[in-house]
Amino acid sequence: MALYSEKVMDHFRNPRNVGVIENADAVGEVGNAKCGDIMKIYLKIDNDVITDVKFETFGCGSAIASASMATELIKGKPLSEALALTNKAVVEALDGLPAHKVHCSVLAEEVIKKALQDYYERNGIEYDRTQFPDCDSCEHCSI
Amino acid sequence: MKTIYADNAATTKMSKTALEAMMPYFTEIYGNPSSLHTPGQEAAEALWQAREDIAACIGAEAREITFTSGGSEADNQAIISAARSGARKNKKHIISTAVEHHAVLHTLRRLEKEGFAVTLLDVQPDGSVTPEQVKAAIRPDTCLVTVMFANNEIGTVNPIREIGAVCREAKVLFHTDAVQAVGHLPINVGEMNIDMLSASAHKFHGPKGTGFLYAKRGVVLTNVIDGGAQERGKRAGTENIPAIMGMAAALKEACANMEENTAKMIAVRDRLIAGLSEIPKSVLNGSRDHRLPGNVNFCFEGIEGESILLLLDDKGVCASSGSACTSGSLDPSHVLLAIGRPHEIAHGSLRLSVDESVTLEDADYIINAVKQTVEYLRNMSPVWRDLISGKKEFTIKD
Ligand SMILES: Cc1ncc(COP(=O)(O)O)c(C=O)c1O
């Protein structure tokens, strides 16, 4: 199907870092089953570096591929870099997404931010809330 | 790798007979049937023969058949015609169902904006509507009842004869979108009390972009395409003779072989239904008994339809889904929602629609491919994890 780039299909067919981390240092989840996509991400963090990452996705091909690509982009990276990851960077790394699928890359960006927020909360670390998505008022799923 | 095409509700492969019937009309008998010269009159004769052949397949008369560009145009014309006739008598109420094709629903929506009142009947859990529901909804100002013969997504076949009888008794026009039924189920417009019927050639191994509207003698049609006097002035445009010849040949062939084809398809359909029912937390959509011979439609909890389709495509199985991602909108299929599937379940739907060429071995291959795909996707689904760990409750009980 030519709907997706080869890169997207590769990450969809062979998703990297699928699974669960027991005793993760941080967990994030975004999306809504009602809308047809949910992403969940688990991080192991050591000295402000993401040493391991796993994800699970309920969703379409581009949701699975976006999550997979996002995990590759942050694995082994310092938290500051993960925090700076944009959905645009995910789209570019996937050689593009169809316009109506760009929201999948937004979920991938948000799920990482959610996990980092979880990490800061768990460890009582001060952080700038304005840098994080407000998922409760997000438009994505306002059906 | 073998490809198993199981998306015949979307469109079918042209039959050889249909293709061969078309060929002479491109380069040999290419005249315009409106022309007086011999090549033109040869085309006109062929056109009339096609009209007679098609009429005979549904128990109609040739002059009751209007050729259109397909099912959508036939639906549009049927509904608009009834609405215009109704409006002249100050009858501006139309009854239909929540599970119609968009060719019907969007036409009705347009009429609503023009001031018509539309009642969309809720469907039974199996996706059908009952004659009693229709009877109860008819008002003194009702000008049309339009109920699909068989549903394109879940395959449910409606009690058309009985609904037609209710309409006839109430003297209300009855139209049926029979796009999924023509060539697949026996149809006799007279016995079934049908005033108007839409059909589309590419659903019965004919060419795309051609179809017809049956309108019982006495039913006044309104043009949706204005211009020349083709089709007794009811549908302008030089006739697509090759396509019409292909459609007539395809329909004749489908009707002649209907019993044999149906038996094969039902065997494959039932094998698929039995096999897919073994998947935990799966549910069949649509009626078990009143069902198109080739239609199978399931929901699988915890996963999403588009990813099912992509993985099946990798395994050579062509199917479709009612998930939002495949419909290009935020909402999953209106049909699955109408039969009461919650959004999150409707996203995980799979439609397989077979024709007579799909074998029982193919069915076994498909069952295996679907089982593997569902299991694979569930293993990476956070929703499934929450369900099996007991954090969330299953919606599908089995
Ligand atoms: C029930 C139903 N009605 C109408 C149509 C539209 O037919 P066509 O594609 O010929 O316009 C279809 C096919 O998509 C259909 O399944």
Side-chain angles (χ1 to χ4, degrees):
Chain A
M1 294 189 194
L3 170 66
Y4 293 129
S5 71
E6 277 301 314
K7 247 326 188 350
V8 173
M9 287 309 292
D10 177 38
H11 274 262
F12 168 67
R13 290 186 178 118
N14 309 294
R16 330 293 199 258
N17 308 308
V18 175
V20 177
I21 299 176
E22 304 292 346
N23 306 315
D25 297 313
V27 179
E29 181 173 325
V30 294
N32 179 335
K34 214 181 150 193
C35 317
D37 35 35
I38 293 188
M39 280 180 202
K40 192 165 182 178
I41 201 166
Y42 305 81
L43 304 178
K44 265 293 185 207
I45 297 169
D46 195 11
N47 260 329
D48 277 359
V49 171
I50 297 173
T51 55
D52 196 11
V53 47
K54 293 267 190 261
F55 82 93
E56 295 177 308
T57 293
F58 161 90
C60 59
S62 62
I64 292 171
S66 296
S68 166
M69 180 55 88
T71 61
E72 279 216 317
L73 292 172
I74 62 166
K75 195 167 174 174
K77 300 283 162 60
L79 297 188
S80 57
E81 260 185 60
L83 191 56
L85 182 76
T86 63
N87 82 294
K88 250 183 103 181
V90 174
V91 174
E92 275 164 23
L94 288 169
D95 292 341
L97 281 176
H100 64 290
K101 299 286 190 176
V102 169
H103 77 92
C104 294
S105 66
V106 174
L107 285 180
E109 175 190 325
E110 287 178 351
V111 77
I112 292 170
K113 297 213 158 90
K114 264 270 182 189
L116 294 175
Q117 199 172 12
D118 177 51
Y119 180 72
Y120 296 144
E121 296 276 351
R122 285 191 199 195
N123 295 286
I125 300 168
E126 286 292 320
Y127 65 96
D128 177 5
R129 276 171 200 278
T130 60
Q131 279 193 288
F132 292 87
D134 177 3
C135 283
D136 299 327
S137 67
C138 150
E139 295 282 303
H140 170 57
C141 285
S142 50
I143 296 182
Chain B
M1 186 182 58
K2 182 175 174 176
T3 299
I4 302 173
Y5 185 77
D7 200 13
N8 287 278
T11 196
T12 59
K13 175 178 168 174
M14 275 255 294
S15 84
K16 233 176 144 219
T17 316
L19 182 62
E20 279 167 8
M22 292 174 74
M23 295 313 282
Y25 296 89
F26 288 109
T27 52
E28 290 161 41
I29 310 168
Y30 53 82
N32 186 325
S34 302
S35 302
L36 276 180
H37 45 62
T38 306
Q41 288 311 298
E42 280 173 2
E45 260 169 50
L47 188 63
W48 186 256
Q49 189 59 50
R51 210 183 294 280
E52 289 209 317
D53 289 346
I54 285 170
C57 288
I58 60 164
E61 289 172 33
R63 60 182 157 173
E64 295 174 316
I65 303 295
T66 302
F67 293 123
T68 67
S69 66
S72 299
E73 186 188 328
D75 283 340
N76 273 255
Q77 186 164 19
I79 292 166
I80 287 169
S81 297
R84 298 290 172 253
S85 298
R88 280 192 287 274
K89 296 176 220 142
N90 232 346
K91 292 184 168 189
K92 296 182 77 173
H93 175 238
I94 299 175
I95 298 168
S96 188
T97 81
V99 297
E100 298 295 312
H101 191 272
H102 287 125
V104 168
L105 290 178
H106 290 178
T107 305
L108 293 175
R109 195 183 294 166
R110 179 143 61 97
L111 288 170
E112 252 181 332
K113 285 195 190 125
E114 291 177 20
F116 283 80
V118 174
T119 301
L120 290 186
L121 299 172
D122 288 333
V123 293
Q124 304 297 314
D126 72 357
S128 65
V129 289
T130 65
E132 293 75 28
Q133 282 180 282
V134 173
K135 191 169 183 174
I138 291 178
R139 317 193 307 209
D141 63 340
T142 304
C143 61
L144 172 70
V145 170
T146 172
V147 173
M148 71 202 313
F149 206 114
N151 187 272
N152 47 306
E153 292 189 37
I154 59 174
T156 299
V157 179
N158 275 310
I160 290 301
R161 180 197 309 260
E162 292 77 9
I163 293 172
V166 163
C167 296
R168 198 133 295 173
E169 199 192 319
K171 297 194 168 57
V172 175
L173 276 182
F174 176 46
H175 166 252
T176 184
D177 174 343
V179 166
Q180 293 289 336
V182 171
H184 301 285
L185 298 173
I187 295 179
N188 184 299
V189 287
E191 286 171 15
M192 293 178 158
N193 309 305
I194 296 168
D195 296 318
M196 289 188 279
L197 172 147
S198 306
S200 178
H202 73 104
K203 310 288 188 182
F204 50 78
H205 301 291
K208 294 165 184 52
T210 199
F212 67 87
L213 172 62
Y214 155 80
K216 188 178 153 69
R217 194 144 49 101
V219 172
V220 182
L221 292 184
T222 301
N223 287 58
V224 292
I225 299 189
D226 285 310
Q230 291 89 356
E231 301 297 296
R232 297 169 319 289
K234 295 306 173 193
R235 202 282 184 181
T238 301
E239 301 84 345
N240 187 348
I241 306 263
I244 290 167
M245 299 314 287
M247 167 162 66
L251 187 55
K252 258 176 37 180
E253 189 180 32
C255 291
N257 302 320
M258 193 180 287
E259 232 172 285
E260 190 189 327
N261 288 344
T262 303
K264 275 191 216 162
M265 285 155 71
I266 287 181
V268 170
R269 175 195 76 186
D270 291 350
R271 171 90 61 113
L272 286 168
I273 291 176
L276 298 181
S277 297
E278 288 170 8
I279 296 176
K281 304 300 169 188
S282 66
V283 65
L284 178 72
N285 297 311
S287 169
R288 188 66 195 79
D289 303 322
H290 304 286
R291 188 172 197 102
L292 284 170
N295 176 288
V296 176
N297 190 314
F298 272 85
C299 283
F300 303 107
E301 191 156 7
I303 54 177
E304 192 279 331
E306 190 209 79
S307 42
I308 304 177
L309 297 189
L310 292 170
L311 290 171
L312 286 179
D313 190 48
D314 279 351
K315 297 182 202 293
V317 177
C318 312
S320 96
S321 168
S323 85
C325 276
T326 56
S327 72
S329 76
L330 270 181
D331 281 321
S333 142
H334 66 288
V335 176
L336 296 176
L337 296 179
I339 60 167
R341 302 281 178 242
H343 277 72
E344 52 271 35
I345 300 297
H347 285 299
S349 79
L350 173 69
R351 178 186 72 185
L352 298 160
S353 44
V354 300
D355 69 1
E356 58 280 5
S357 73
V358 177
T359 64
L360 287 169
E361 291 78 62
D362 293 338
D364 289 337
Y365 180 88
I366 294 173
I367 292 166
N368 233 324
V370 174
K371 282 182 173 171
Q372 285 173 8
T373 301
V374 170
E375 190 177 314
Y376 171 79
L377 288 171
R378 280 178 172 171
N379 277 335
M380 70 159 89
S381 163
V383 176
W384 185 250
R385 178 172 306 284
D386 286 350
L387 290 166
I388 52 172
S389 69
K391 246 167 105 183
K392 275 195 204 126
E393 256 191 64
F394 283 105
T395 304
I396 299 175
K397 316 276 180 212
D398 64 5

